[in-house]
């Protein structure tokens, strides 16, 4: 089966600019996650979707970050305006409905550098 | 509260020698525990999982981990390191009471010839 697809793989922007990342999960996976991984740290959950509904967005900085999964398939994460501390790898992951809560399939990530 | 601590940020071994990556967890509920591996510029991949069945869990690429409730530990081991094992390893805890996955900070494993 095809894996989790993410784009772009790399993005460099200046602070206060905006950026969007796209994720296409594995076909049939109802649960989709966006994680932020800052260099030297473990991934931190930003938002979790179940189909097109938000399950957990408690750690999403809602003043600048937004995410949507309109048709319950692919998803977009947006940052506007970006800050220097947003420099990180943004990981998308998906999980099959019958899978264990910790059994996630990750994409290769989108690396953001904010100058 | 729920947390996970990886006791070593860096581990260096010689090829062919054993690997030990240490992980301790804290949870007020019965946890499920996982180890993930991340090779450079790649996504995370599940190595193995413990979900309240056998306490000794075998994973891919010869890795295994033992759940020790009395020590709140879930250390990852491999009898003989291979150059391709060089990567970042993450210990992850989940418990239904919190309904959240918590990742450790990671351990970078270096393997020398």
């Amino acid at each position: 089966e095809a894996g989790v697809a993410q784009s772009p793989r790399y993005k460099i922007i200046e602070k206060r600019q905006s950026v969007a990342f796209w994720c296409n999960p594995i076909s049939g996976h109802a649960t989709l996650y966006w994680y932020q991984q800052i260099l030297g740290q473990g991934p931190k959950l930003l938002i979790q979707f179940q189909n097109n509904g938000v399950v957990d967005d408690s750690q999403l900085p809602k003043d600048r970050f937004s995410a949507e999964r309109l048709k319950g398939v692919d998803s977009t994460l947006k940052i506007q305006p970006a800050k220097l501390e947003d420099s990180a790898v943004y990981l998308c992951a998906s999980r099959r409905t019958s899978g264990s809560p910790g059994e996630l399939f990750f994409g290769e990530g989108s690396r953001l550098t904010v100058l | 509260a729920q947390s996970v601590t990886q006791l070593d940020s860096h581990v260096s071994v010689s090829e062919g020698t054993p690997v030990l990556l240490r992980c301790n967890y804290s949870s007020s509920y019965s946890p499920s525990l996982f180890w993930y591996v991340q090779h450079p510029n790649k996504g995370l991949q599940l190595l193995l999982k413990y979900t309240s069945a056998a306490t000794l869990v075998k994973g891919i690429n010869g890795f295994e981990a033992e759940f020790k409730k009395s020590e709140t530990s879930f250390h990852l081991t491999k009898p003989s390191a291979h150059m391709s094992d060089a990567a970042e390893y993450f210990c992850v805890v989940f418990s239904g009471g919190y309904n959240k996955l918590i990742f450790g900070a990671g351990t970078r494993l270096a393997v020398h010839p």
Side-chain angles (χ1 to χ4, degrees):
Chain A
E1 63 185 351
V4 176
Q6 290 190 245
S7 67
R9 288 294 313 278
Y10 304 92
K11 188 75 176 179
I12 300 173
I13 62 173
E14 296 192 348
K15 60 183 179 183
R16 291 188 290 273
Q17 287 187 324
S18 63
V19 63
F21 301 112
W22 174 82
C23 171
N24 191 32
I26 293 173
S27 177
H29 284 199
T31 308
L32 184 147
Y33 308 79
W34 282 103
Y35 283 87
Q36 180 192 58
Q37 186 178 19
I38 292 173
L39 187 64
Q41 299 180 19
K44 184 188 83 171
L45 179 68
L46 291 175
I47 190 167
Q48 176 184 344
F49 292 95
Q50 179 73 21
N51 296 307
N52 60 349
V54 175
V55 173
D56 184 354
D57 64 356
S58 58
Q59 298 190 83
L60 186 73
K62 297 180 185 65
D63 58 333
R64 299 183 300 106
F65 286 64
S66 64
E68 60 183 15
R69 193 184 184 199
L70 292 176
K71 296 182 179 179
V73 181
D74 56 349
S75 175
T76 302
L77 176 71
K78 296 179 181 178
I79 308 173
Q80 182 179 12
K83 291 186 175 182
L84 296 177
E85 59 260 37
D86 298 332
S87 293
V89 177
Y90 291 86
L91 296 166
C92 180
S94 67
R95 178 172 65 86
R96 58 172 67 99
T97 303
S98 59
S100 163
E103 201 165 343
L104 275 55
F105 293 82
F106 283 84
E108 293 189 329
S110 294
R111 183 180 297 276
L112 173 66
T113 302
V114 182
L115 303 176
Chain B
Q2 180 176 250
S3 66
V4 60
T5 302
Q6 292 185 242
L7 298 168
D8 307 291
S9 58
H10 291 85
V11 170
S12 182
V13 301
S14 298
E15 191 175 21
T17 64
V19 175
L20 170 64
L21 305 183
R22 299 181 295 165
C23 172
N24 286 110
Y25 70 91
S26 172
S27 178
S28 300
Y29 302 90
S30 295
S32 295
L33 293 154
F34 309 83
W35 277 98
Y36 278 82
V37 60
Q38 185 178 32
H39 288 93
N41 298 313
K42 297 292 184 184
L44 282 76
Q45 179 186 17
L46 182 66
L47 264 183
L48 49 79
K49 62 180 179 181
Y50 165 77
T51 55
S52 79
T55 56
L56 182 61
V57 181
K58 294 187 184 300
I60 61 173
N61 300 333
F63 284 94
E64 62 181 38
E66 186 172 7
F67 173 70
K68 293 186 176 180
K69 186 176 180 179
S70 60
E71 299 176 10
T72 61
S73 70
F74 190 58
H75 301 335
L76 181 70
T77 60
K78 183 173 181 177
S80 176
H82 192 273
M83 296 296 289
S84 61
D85 295 328
E88 186 99 23
Y89 291 81
F90 294 94
C91 183
V92 183
V93 62
F94 174 88
S95 57
Y98 300 103
N99 200 31
K100 280 188 184 297
L101 273 177
I102 302 295
F103 283 76
T107 298
R108 183 166 296 278
L109 176 65
V111 182
H112 302 287

